[in-house]
Amino acid sequence: MASRSETLASALTARFGERLTALPALPGEVAFEVHAGQLLAVCRELRDAPELKFEQLIDLSGVDYVDFGKEEWITYGSTSTGFSRGVSRARTVVDQPRRARFAVTYQLLSVTHNSRLRLRSFAVDGEPPVIDSVTDIWASANWYEREAFDLYGIMFQGHPDLRRILTDYGFIGHPFRKDFPLIGNVEVKYDTARGRVVYQPVSIEPRTLVPRVIRNDNRYDPGLMDVPVGAQVEPGSRG
């Protein structure tokens, strides 16, 4: 007997054919990709088709694929994990073909059929990357698209009020882009002479912050290091 997710995937494939491409997903999940040129038409059908009825957009987010399919970068004077990996990227990379850098994912819910769908669509490459707004289909997309615009710089064509929603009005850049510096570009402080908050070049020094936990307890007593596993230790004989 087919599972709920398999039944939904079959229904989507039967209705949309080549307009949707199945994506890898965890067991019980359904994920498809749609070309940006077909996004609005497919989304309207997903909402209105009686056998689908995805009435709610419960989340929308941007994705930056700039380093997707590339090898890990090499670090010097530190481990291969931690803050330093994002500060100094001395990398040996192998490029793999990709269609575009930025994508948008849509998490859809059908209250009628109690089913969920993840939809992905790549924005048209360029600066800024552009994709159609789905606010006319799901009103909840309004703030979600503003968030993706703010953090990733994705331009949603047709959005009624596309402006920043999380960062400051004068903020420069898009902080969720993977090439955005981890320490930022500017910092703010209160200038007593001017009597207001001012912007200035960031003064934080990039440094490696890889925590090392050192526990000072009997598990690390040098006198216990040569005791075989399971051996009994006389009380007061060590430490």
Side-chain angles (χ1 to χ4, degrees):
M1 182 178 178
S3 65
R4 181 190 296 270
S5 59
E6 291 172 339
T7 301
L8 174 59
S10 298
L12 291 167
T13 301
R15 182 176 186 91
F16 295 103
E18 296 182 353
R19 289 189 291 168
L20 289 183
T21 303
L23 295 174
L26 294 173
E29 294 185 355
V30 181
F32 280 85
E33 181 175 314
V34 58
H35 188 272
Q38 295 283 340
L39 176 64
L40 295 184
V42 167
C43 285
R44 286 194 181 94
E45 288 187 55
L46 289 171
R47 182 194 63 183
D48 298 336
E51 72 274 21
L52 299 174
K53 281 291 183 181
F54 285 98
E55 307 101 330
Q56 290 190 15
L57 171 71
I58 59 176
D59 196 15
L60 178 156
S61 63
V63 186
D64 184 356
Y65 285 94
V66 67
D67 283 332
F68 183 75
K70 296 183 178 181
E71 294 182 355
E72 292 285 356
W73 58 79
I74 302 171
T75 56
Y76 301 96
S78 176
T79 65
S80 61
T81 60
F83 182 82
S84 62
R85 297 174 72 242
V87 174
S88 302
R89 297 187 176 186
R91 298 177 295 178
T92 302
V93 300
V94 177
D95 288 325
Q96 294 184 0
R98 59 177 172 83
R99 284 156 293 175
R101 173 176 174 178
F102 295 98
V104 179
T105 61
Y106 306 82
Q107 308 291 341
L108 305 179
L109 171 65
S110 171
V111 177
T112 301
H113 302 295
N114 189 25
S115 56
R116 295 173 185 266
L117 168 67
R118 181 169 67 254
L119 194 66
R120 183 180 74 180
S121 185
F122 278 88
V124 177
D125 244 346
E127 191 52 60
V130 179
I131 196 168
D132 287 322
S133 170
V134 296
T135 51
D136 287 341
I137 302 172
W138 297 290
S140 60
N142 192 316
W143 281 21
Y144 294 143
E145 290 182 350
R146 284 180 59 188
E147 181 182 43
F149 163 72
D150 191 357
L151 301 179
Y152 290 95
I154 300 172
M155 183 70 67
F156 290 89
Q157 189 170 259
H159 190 284
D161 186 24
L162 194 61
R163 54 195 169 94
R164 292 187 182 271
I165 191 171
L166 295 176
T167 59
D168 193 14
Y169 294 111
F171 193 87
I172 298 173
H174 305 282
F176 274 19
R177 290 190 175 190
K178 292 184 179 178
D179 54 4
F180 188 84
L182 296 183
I183 58 174
N185 293 311
V186 296
E187 62 184 23
V188 296
K189 73 169 187 178
Y190 183 77
D191 190 319
T192 54
R194 301 182 186 181
R196 62 181 177 87
V197 172
V198 297
Y199 289 89
Q200 65 182 24
V202 66
S203 60
I204 301 173
E205 289 289 335
R207 64 184 189 274
T208 301
L209 293 175
V210 181
R212 180 184 177 189
V213 179
I214 301 176
R215 298 180 176 87
N216 185 21
D217 58 35
N218 62 350
R219 290 176 295 173
Y220 300 91
D221 188 332
L224 296 175
M225 295 304 178
D226 58 349
V227 178
V229 175
Q232 298 294 321
V233 180
E234 294 288 338
S237 62
R238 294 183 185 270

Short mmCIF file of all heavy atoms in Angstrom, two decimals, residues 171-221:
data_model
loop_
_atom_site.label_atom_id
_atom_site.label_comp_id
_atom_site.label_asym_id
_atom_site.label_seq_id
_atom_site.Cartn_x
_atom_site.Cartn_y
_atom_site.Cartn_z
N PHE A 171 21.51 49.75 6.13
CA PHE A 171 22.38 48.57 6.09
C PHE A 171 22.86 48.32 4.66
O PHE A 171 22.09 48.44 3.70
CB PHE A 171 21.63 47.34 6.61
CG PHE A 171 22.52 46.17 6.90
CD1 PHE A 171 23.13 46.03 8.14
CD2 PHE A 171 22.74 45.20 5.93
CE1 PHE A 171 23.94 44.95 8.41
CE2 PHE A 171 23.55 44.11 6.19
CZ PHE A 171 24.16 43.98 7.43
N ILE A 172 24.14 47.94 4.54
CA ILE A 172 24.73 47.68 3.23
C ILE A 172 24.98 46.19 3.09
O ILE A 172 25.60 45.57 3.95
CB ILE A 172 26.05 48.45 3.05
CG1 ILE A 172 25.79 49.96 3.14
CG2 ILE A 172 26.71 48.10 1.72
CD1 ILE A 172 27.05 50.79 3.15
N GLY A 173 24.50 45.61 2.02
CA GLY A 173 24.72 44.18 1.77
C GLY A 173 23.59 43.32 2.29
O GLY A 173 22.58 43.80 2.80
N HIS A 174 23.80 42.02 2.17
CA HIS A 174 22.78 41.05 2.54
C HIS A 174 23.45 39.96 3.39
O HIS A 174 24.20 39.14 2.87
CB HIS A 174 22.13 40.46 1.30
CG HIS A 174 21.58 41.52 0.38
ND1 HIS A 174 20.38 42.15 0.64
CD2 HIS A 174 22.07 42.09 -0.74
CE1 HIS A 174 20.15 43.05 -0.30
NE2 HIS A 174 21.17 43.02 -1.16
N PRO A 175 23.20 39.95 4.70
CA PRO A 175 24.02 39.17 5.64
C PRO A 175 23.92 37.66 5.54
O PRO A 175 24.77 36.97 6.09
CB PRO A 175 23.54 39.66 7.02
CG PRO A 175 22.18 40.23 6.78
CD PRO A 175 22.22 40.78 5.40
N PHE A 176 22.93 37.09 4.86
CA PHE A 176 22.86 35.63 4.74
C PHE A 176 23.54 35.10 3.49
O PHE A 176 23.60 33.90 3.27
CB PHE A 176 21.40 35.16 4.77
CG PHE A 176 20.87 34.96 6.16
CD1 PHE A 176 21.49 35.54 7.25
CD2 PHE A 176 19.74 34.20 6.40
CE1 PHE A 176 21.01 35.38 8.54
CE2 PHE A 176 19.24 34.01 7.68
CZ PHE A 176 19.88 34.60 8.76
N ARG A 177 24.06 36.02 2.66
CA ARG A 177 24.86 35.56 1.53
C ARG A 177 26.17 34.96 2.05
O ARG A 177 26.78 35.50 2.98
CB ARG A 177 25.15 36.72 0.58
CG ARG A 177 23.94 37.19 -0.19
CD ARG A 177 24.32 38.16 -1.29
NE ARG A 177 23.17 38.52 -2.10
CZ ARG A 177 23.24 39.20 -3.24
NH1 ARG A 177 24.43 39.59 -3.69
NH2 ARG A 177 22.15 39.47 -3.92
N LYS A 178 26.60 33.88 1.45
CA LYS A 178 27.75 33.17 2.00
C LYS A 178 29.07 33.90 1.79
O LYS A 178 30.07 33.53 2.40
CB LYS A 178 27.81 31.76 1.39
CG LYS A 178 26.67 30.88 1.87
CD LYS A 178 26.78 29.47 1.35
CE LYS A 178 25.63 28.62 1.89
NZ LYS A 178 25.68 27.23 1.37
N ASP A 179 29.09 34.92 0.94
CA ASP A 179 30.31 35.71 0.79
C ASP A 179 30.27 37.00 1.60
O ASP A 179 31.16 37.83 1.50
CB ASP A 179 30.56 36.03 -0.68
CG ASP A 179 29.37 36.69 -1.36
OD1 ASP A 179 28.37 36.98 -0.67
OD2 ASP A 179 29.44 36.93 -2.58
N PHE A 180 29.24 37.15 2.43
CA PHE A 180 29.17 38.33 3.31
C PHE A 180 30.15 38.12 4.46
O PHE A 180 30.18 37.05 5.07
CB PHE A 180 27.75 38.49 3.86
CG PHE A 180 27.54 39.78 4.62
CD1 PHE A 180 27.23 40.94 3.94
CD2 PHE A 180 27.65 39.83 6.00
CE1 PHE A 180 27.02 42.14 4.62
CE2 PHE A 180 27.46 41.02 6.69
CZ PHE A 180 27.14 42.17 5.99
N PRO A 181 31.01 39.12 4.77
CA PRO A 181 32.01 38.93 5.84
C PRO A 181 31.36 38.66 7.19
O PRO A 181 30.38 39.32 7.56
CB PRO A 181 32.78 40.25 5.84
CG PRO A 181 31.88 41.24 5.15
CD PRO A 181 31.07 40.46 4.17
N LEU A 182 31.91 37.70 7.94
CA LEU A 182 31.32 37.32 9.22
C LEU A 182 31.37 38.45 10.23
O LEU A 182 30.56 38.50 11.16
CB LEU A 182 32.03 36.09 9.78
CG LEU A 182 31.90 34.80 8.95
CD1 LEU A 182 32.58 33.65 9.67
CD2 LEU A 182 30.44 34.46 8.71
N ILE A 183 32.34 39.35 10.09
CA ILE A 183 32.44 40.47 11.03
C ILE A 183 31.65 41.69 10.53
O ILE A 183 31.62 42.72 11.20
CB ILE A 183 33.90 40.87 11.28
CG1 ILE A 183 34.59 41.25 9.96
CG2 ILE A 183 34.66 39.76 11.99
CD1 ILE A 183 35.99 41.80 10.13
N GLY A 184 31.03 41.57 9.36
CA GLY A 184 30.26 42.67 8.83
C GLY A 184 31.12 43.71 8.12
O GLY A 184 32.34 43.59 8.06
N ASN A 185 30.48 44.74 7.62
CA ASN A 185 31.18 45.82 6.93
C ASN A 185 31.30 47.09 7.77
O ASN A 185 32.29 47.81 7.71
CB ASN A 185 30.46 46.16 5.61
CG ASN A 185 30.54 45.02 4.61
OD1 ASN A 185 31.62 44.49 4.36
ND2 ASN A 185 29.41 44.65 4.03
N VAL A 186 30.26 47.39 8.54
CA VAL A 186 30.25 48.59 9.37
C VAL A 186 29.72 48.24 10.76
O VAL A 186 29.11 47.19 10.96
CB VAL A 186 29.38 49.71 8.75
CG1 VAL A 186 29.96 50.17 7.43
CG2 VAL A 186 27.95 49.24 8.58
N GLU A 187 29.98 49.11 11.70
CA GLU A 187 29.42 48.97 13.04
C GLU A 187 28.81 50.31 13.45
O GLU A 187 29.11 51.35 12.86
CB GLU A 187 30.49 48.55 14.04
CG GLU A 187 31.63 49.55 14.21
CD GLU A 187 32.72 49.04 15.15
OE1 GLU A 187 32.83 47.80 15.30
OE2 GLU A 187 33.46 49.86 15.70
N VAL A 188 27.94 50.28 14.44
CA VAL A 188 27.30 51.50 14.90
C VAL A 188 27.72 51.80 16.34
O VAL A 188 28.02 50.88 17.11
CB VAL A 188 25.76 51.39 14.83
CG1 VAL A 188 25.31 51.24 13.39
CG2 VAL A 188 25.26 50.23 15.65
N LYS A 189 27.77 53.06 16.66
CA LYS A 189 28.05 53.48 18.04
C LYS A 189 27.38 54.82 18.28
O LYS A 189 27.03 55.54 17.33
CB LYS A 189 29.54 53.58 18.29
CG LYS A 189 30.21 54.77 17.63
CD LYS A 189 31.63 54.97 18.14
CE LYS A 189 32.23 56.28 17.60
NZ LYS A 189 33.59 56.51 18.13
N TYR A 190 27.21 55.15 19.55
CA TYR A 190 26.62 56.44 19.89
C TYR A 190 27.73 57.47 19.98
O TYR A 190 28.69 57.32 20.75
CB TYR A 190 25.86 56.36 21.21
CG TYR A 190 25.18 57.66 21.57
CD1 TYR A 190 23.99 58.04 20.95
CD2 TYR A 190 25.74 58.52 22.52
CE1 TYR A 190 23.36 59.22 21.26
CE2 TYR A 190 25.12 59.72 22.83
CZ TYR A 190 23.93 60.07 22.20
OH TYR A 190 23.32 61.25 22.51
N ASP A 191 27.62 58.52 19.19
CA ASP A 191 28.60 59.60 19.17
C ASP A 191 28.11 60.71 20.10
O ASP A 191 27.11 61.38 19.81
CB ASP A 191 28.76 60.13 17.75
CG ASP A 191 29.94 61.10 17.62
OD1 ASP A 191 30.12 61.93 18.53
OD2 ASP A 191 30.67 61.00 16.63
N THR A 192 28.80 60.88 21.23
CA THR A 192 28.36 61.89 22.20
C THR A 192 28.49 63.31 21.66
O THR A 192 27.70 64.18 22.01
CB THR A 192 29.18 61.76 23.49
OG1 THR A 192 30.58 61.83 23.18
CG2 THR A 192 28.91 60.42 24.18
N ALA A 193 29.48 63.54 20.80
CA ALA A 193 29.67 64.88 20.25
C ALA A 193 28.52 65.26 19.31
O ALA A 193 28.05 66.39 19.31
CB ALA A 193 31.01 64.97 19.52
N ARG A 194 28.07 64.29 18.53
CA ARG A 194 26.99 64.55 17.59
C ARG A 194 25.61 64.33 18.20
O ARG A 194 24.60 64.77 17.66
CB ARG A 194 27.13 63.66 16.35
CG ARG A 194 28.44 63.86 15.61
CD ARG A 194 28.49 62.97 14.38
NE ARG A 194 29.78 63.02 13.73
CZ ARG A 194 30.09 62.35 12.62
NH1 ARG A 194 29.17 61.57 12.05
NH2 ARG A 194 31.29 62.43 12.09
N GLY A 195 25.59 63.60 19.31
CA GLY A 195 24.32 63.33 19.97
C GLY A 195 23.44 62.36 19.24
O GLY A 195 22.20 62.40 19.35
N ARG A 196 24.05 61.43 18.48
CA ARG A 196 23.26 60.46 17.73
C ARG A 196 24.11 59.22 17.44
O ARG A 196 25.32 59.21 17.64
CB ARG A 196 22.74 61.05 16.42
CG ARG A 196 23.84 61.49 15.45
CD ARG A 196 23.24 62.08 14.19
NE ARG A 196 24.25 62.57 13.26
CZ ARG A 196 24.84 61.81 12.33
NH1 ARG A 196 24.52 60.52 12.23
NH2 ARG A 196 25.74 62.32 11.54
N VAL A 197 23.44 58.19 16.94
CA VAL A 197 24.12 56.96 16.54
C VAL A 197 24.74 57.18 15.17
O VAL A 197 24.11 57.75 14.26
CB VAL A 197 23.13 55.78 16.50
CG1 VAL A 197 23.78 54.54 15.90
CG2 VAL A 197 22.63 55.47 17.90
N VAL A 198 25.99 56.74 14.99
CA VAL A 198 26.69 56.91 13.72
C VAL A 198 27.24 55.57 13.25
O VAL A 198 27.45 54.64 14.05
CB VAL A 198 27.84 57.94 13.84
CG1 VAL A 198 27.29 59.30 14.20
CG2 VAL A 198 28.87 57.47 14.87
N TYR A 199 27.49 55.47 11.95
CA TYR A 199 28.13 54.31 11.37
C TYR A 199 29.62 54.56 11.24
O TYR A 199 30.05 55.70 10.98
CB TYR A 199 27.55 54.00 9.98
CG TYR A 199 26.15 53.46 10.00
CD1 TYR A 199 25.04 54.31 9.96
CD2 TYR A 199 25.92 52.09 10.06
CE1 TYR A 199 23.75 53.82 9.97
CE2 TYR A 199 24.62 51.58 10.07
CZ TYR A 199 23.56 52.44 10.02
OH TYR A 199 22.29 51.95 10.04
N GLN A 200 30.43 53.51 11.38
CA GLN A 200 31.86 53.61 11.17
C GLN A 200 32.38 52.26 10.68
O GLN A 200 31.71 51.23 10.84
CB GLN A 200 32.57 54.00 12.47
CG GLN A 200 32.47 52.97 13.58
CD GLN A 200 33.16 53.43 14.86
OE1 GLN A 200 33.31 54.63 15.08
NE2 GLN A 200 33.59 52.49 15.67
N PRO A 201 33.57 52.24 10.05
CA PRO A 201 34.13 50.96 9.60
C PRO A 201 34.27 50.00 10.77
O PRO A 201 34.58 50.40 11.89
CB PRO A 201 35.49 51.34 9.02
CG PRO A 201 35.33 52.78 8.64
CD PRO A 201 34.41 53.38 9.65
N VAL A 202 34.04 48.74 10.52
CA VAL A 202 34.08 47.74 11.57
C VAL A 202 35.48 47.67 12.17
O VAL A 202 36.49 47.72 11.47
CB VAL A 202 33.63 46.36 11.03
CG1 VAL A 202 34.60 45.81 10.00
CG2 VAL A 202 33.46 45.38 12.17
N SER A 203 35.55 47.60 13.49
CA SER A 203 36.84 47.60 14.19
C SER A 203 37.19 46.24 14.79
O SER A 203 38.22 46.10 15.44
CB SER A 203 36.83 48.66 15.30
OG SER A 203 35.80 48.39 16.24
N ILE A 204 36.33 45.22 14.60
CA ILE A 204 36.58 43.91 15.16
C ILE A 204 37.69 43.22 14.37
O ILE A 204 37.69 43.23 13.14
CB ILE A 204 35.30 43.05 15.11
CG1 ILE A 204 34.18 43.73 15.90
CG2 ILE A 204 35.55 41.64 15.64
CD1 ILE A 204 32.84 43.04 15.77
N GLU A 205 38.64 42.65 15.08
CA GLU A 205 39.72 41.90 14.43
C GLU A 205 39.28 40.47 14.19
O GLU A 205 38.86 39.79 15.13
CB GLU A 205 40.98 41.92 15.31
CG GLU A 205 41.67 43.27 15.39
CD GLU A 205 42.35 43.64 14.09
OE1 GLU A 205 42.71 42.71 13.33
OE2 GLU A 205 42.50 44.84 13.83
N PRO A 206 39.36 39.98 12.94
CA PRO A 206 39.04 38.56 12.72
C PRO A 206 39.99 37.67 13.50
O PRO A 206 41.21 37.88 13.48
CB PRO A 206 39.27 38.40 11.21
CG PRO A 206 39.22 39.77 10.65
CD PRO A 206 39.72 40.68 11.73
N ARG A 207 39.47 36.71 14.23
CA ARG A 207 40.31 35.81 15.00
C ARG A 207 39.66 34.44 15.08
O ARG A 207 38.46 34.31 14.90
CB ARG A 207 40.57 36.36 16.41
CG ARG A 207 39.33 36.47 17.28
CD ARG A 207 39.69 37.10 18.62
NE ARG A 207 38.60 37.05 19.57
CZ ARG A 207 37.63 37.93 19.66
NH1 ARG A 207 37.61 38.96 18.84
NH2 ARG A 207 36.69 37.81 20.57
N THR A 208 40.48 33.47 15.33
CA THR A 208 40.00 32.11 15.41
C THR A 208 39.35 31.86 16.76
O THR A 208 39.95 32.13 17.80
CB THR A 208 41.16 31.11 15.20
OG1 THR A 208 41.74 31.36 13.92
CG2 THR A 208 40.66 29.69 15.27
N LEU A 209 38.14 31.35 16.75
CA LEU A 209 37.42 31.05 17.98
C LEU A 209 36.95 29.60 17.93
O LEU A 209 35.81 29.33 17.60
CB LEU A 209 36.24 32.00 18.16
CG LEU A 209 36.58 33.47 18.41
CD1 LEU A 209 35.32 34.29 18.44
CD2 LEU A 209 37.33 33.63 19.72
N VAL A 210 37.86 28.70 18.22
CA VAL A 210 37.51 27.28 18.27
C VAL A 210 37.60 26.85 19.72
O VAL A 210 38.67 26.71 20.28
CB VAL A 210 38.45 26.43 17.40
CG1 VAL A 210 38.05 24.96 17.45
CG2 VAL A 210 38.43 26.93 15.97
N PRO A 211 36.47 26.67 20.38
CA PRO A 211 36.52 26.37 21.82
C PRO A 211 37.11 25.00 22.11
O PRO A 211 36.95 24.05 21.35
CB PRO A 211 35.03 26.42 22.23
CG PRO A 211 34.29 26.11 20.98
CD PRO A 211 35.10 26.68 19.87
N ARG A 212 37.83 24.93 23.22
CA ARG A 212 38.36 23.66 23.70
C ARG A 212 37.91 23.50 25.14
O ARG A 212 38.20 24.35 25.98
CB ARG A 212 39.88 23.64 23.61
CG ARG A 212 40.50 22.34 24.11
CD ARG A 212 42.00 22.41 24.09
NE ARG A 212 42.59 21.20 24.63
CZ ARG A 212 43.88 21.04 24.90
NH1 ARG A 212 44.72 22.04 24.65
NH2 ARG A 212 44.33 19.92 25.39
N VAL A 213 37.22 22.43 25.41
CA VAL A 213 36.69 22.20 26.74
C VAL A 213 37.72 21.43 27.57
O VAL A 213 38.18 20.36 27.16
CB VAL A 213 35.37 21.41 26.70
CG1 VAL A 213 34.85 21.15 28.08
CG2 VAL A 213 34.33 22.19 25.87
N ILE A 214 38.10 21.99 28.70
CA ILE A 214 39.04 21.33 29.61
C ILE A 214 38.31 21.11 30.93
O ILE A 214 37.87 22.07 31.58
CB ILE A 214 40.30 22.18 29.84
CG1 ILE A 214 41.01 22.43 28.50
CG2 ILE A 214 41.23 21.50 30.84
CD1 ILE A 214 42.22 23.32 28.60
N ARG A 215 38.17 19.87 31.30
CA ARG A 215 37.47 19.53 32.54
C ARG A 215 38.50 19.16 33.62
O ARG A 215 39.33 18.30 33.41
CB ARG A 215 36.50 18.38 32.32
CG ARG A 215 35.39 18.68 31.32
CD ARG A 215 34.47 17.49 31.15
NE ARG A 215 33.35 17.79 30.27
CZ ARG A 215 33.40 17.67 28.95
NH1 ARG A 215 34.51 17.24 28.38
NH2 ARG A 215 32.34 17.97 28.21
N ASN A 216 38.40 19.82 34.73
CA ASN A 216 39.34 19.57 35.83
C ASN A 216 38.66 18.64 36.84
O ASN A 216 38.12 19.06 37.85
CB ASN A 216 39.73 20.90 36.49
CG ASN A 216 40.80 20.69 37.56
OD1 ASN A 216 41.51 19.69 37.55
ND2 ASN A 216 40.90 21.64 38.47
N ASP A 217 38.66 17.33 36.53
CA ASP A 217 38.10 16.36 37.46
C ASP A 217 38.92 15.08 37.40
O ASP A 217 39.92 14.99 36.67
CB ASP A 217 36.62 16.11 37.16
CG ASP A 217 36.38 15.60 35.74
OD1 ASP A 217 37.24 14.86 35.23
OD2 ASP A 217 35.34 15.93 35.16
N ASN A 218 38.51 14.09 38.17
CA ASN A 218 39.34 12.90 38.33
C ASN A 218 39.47 12.06 37.07
O ASN A 218 40.33 11.18 36.98
CB ASN A 218 38.82 12.02 39.48
CG ASN A 218 37.40 11.52 39.20
OD1 ASN A 218 36.76 11.97 38.27
ND2 ASN A 218 36.93 10.61 40.04
N ARG A 219 38.64 12.29 36.05
CA ARG A 219 38.78 11.55 34.81
C ARG A 219 40.10 11.87 34.12
O ARG A 219 40.59 11.08 33.30
CB ARG A 219 37.62 11.86 33.87
CG ARG A 219 36.29 11.30 34.32
CD ARG A 219 35.19 11.74 33.40
NE ARG A 219 35.00 13.20 33.46
CZ ARG A 219 34.18 13.87 32.64
NH1 ARG A 219 33.52 13.22 31.70
NH2 ARG A 219 34.04 15.17 32.76
N TYR A 220 40.67 13.03 34.42
CA TYR A 220 41.90 13.45 33.77
C TYR A 220 43.09 13.41 34.73
O TYR A 220 44.13 13.99 34.45
CB TYR A 220 41.73 14.86 33.18
CG TYR A 220 40.61 14.91 32.16
CD1 TYR A 220 39.32 15.23 32.54
CD2 TYR A 220 40.86 14.61 30.83
CE1 TYR A 220 38.28 15.27 31.60
CE2 TYR A 220 39.83 14.64 29.89
CZ TYR A 220 38.55 14.97 30.29
OH TYR A 220 37.54 15.00 29.36
N ASP A 221 42.95 12.74 35.85
CA ASP A 221 44.06 12.59 36.81
C ASP A 221 45.15 11.75 36.17
O ASP A 221 44.93 10.61 35.78
CB ASP A 221 43.54 11.91 38.08
CG ASP A 221 44.58 11.91 39.19
OD1 ASP A 221 45.79 11.93 38.87
OD2 ASP A 221 44.18 11.90 40.36
#
